[in-house]
Amino acid sequence: QVRLGESGGGLVQAGGSLRLSCVASGSIVRINAMGWYRQVPGKQRELVTTITSGGSTNYLDSVKGRFTISRDNAQNTVYLQMNSLKPEDTAVYYCNADVTTGLWRHVYWGQGTQVTVSS
């Protein structure tokens, strides 16, 4: 069993910053790609950014230049540094990890953390 634990969400004014963290724990052999998604009520969950085990990244166009994803492979942790936040960034942010355990490979999700940006 693998668990993803997120932290770092909260309320911030427009233009401010937040840093999200997500730690993976459990019977992990290897973590492949990790990423962050977000969802607002009534809309589909959207991909914000991903990072491969080798460090290659990609971003949603609307967050390029403002958000930065990074990971610490030794700590099984992925981070999302969010700068210059806008009200439209308000959402529940979910951590995602493609994990190989001793038996299989599976994508796991965190429970989500609320980010609210006030104007």
Side-chain angles (χ1 to χ4, degrees):
Q1 184 71 12
V2 174
R3 287 188 173 185
L4 301 182
E6 298 143 337
S7 61
L11 173 64
V12 65
Q13 288 189 331
S17 299
L18 284 173
R19 189 191 195 208
L20 306 183
S21 300
C22 173
V23 181
S25 61
S27 303
I28 297 169
V29 172
R30 173 184 169 87
I31 300 180
N32 305 296
M34 303 184 82
W36 291 93
Y37 289 68
R38 66 188 182 187
Q39 188 170 24
V40 298
K43 293 189 177 181
Q44 286 191 324
R45 191 172 296 186
E46 68 175 354
L47 172 65
V48 177
T49 178
T50 62
I51 184 168
T52 68
S53 58
S56 297
T57 60
N58 74 294
Y59 294 91
L60 181 68
D61 282 347
S62 62
V63 308
K64 285 180 180 177
R66 301 188 297 120
F67 290 11
T68 302
I69 189 171
S70 61
R71 62 189 284 175
D72 182 336
N73 291 329
Q75 300 296 323
N76 290 338
T77 301
V78 64
Y79 304 97
L80 180 62
Q81 178 66 44
M82 304 185 292
N83 298 329
S84 302
L85 282 160
K86 303 176 180 180
E88 51 264 43
D89 295 317
T90 296
V92 178
Y93 284 71
Y94 295 91
C95 171
N96 159 288
D98 177 357
V99 180
T100 299
T101 66
L103 298 176
W104 54 69
R105 181 172 175 172
H106 185 73
V107 174
Y108 295 88
W109 292 88
Q111 79 283 358
T113 185
Q114 178 70 46
V115 171
T116 302
V117 185
S118 63
S119 57

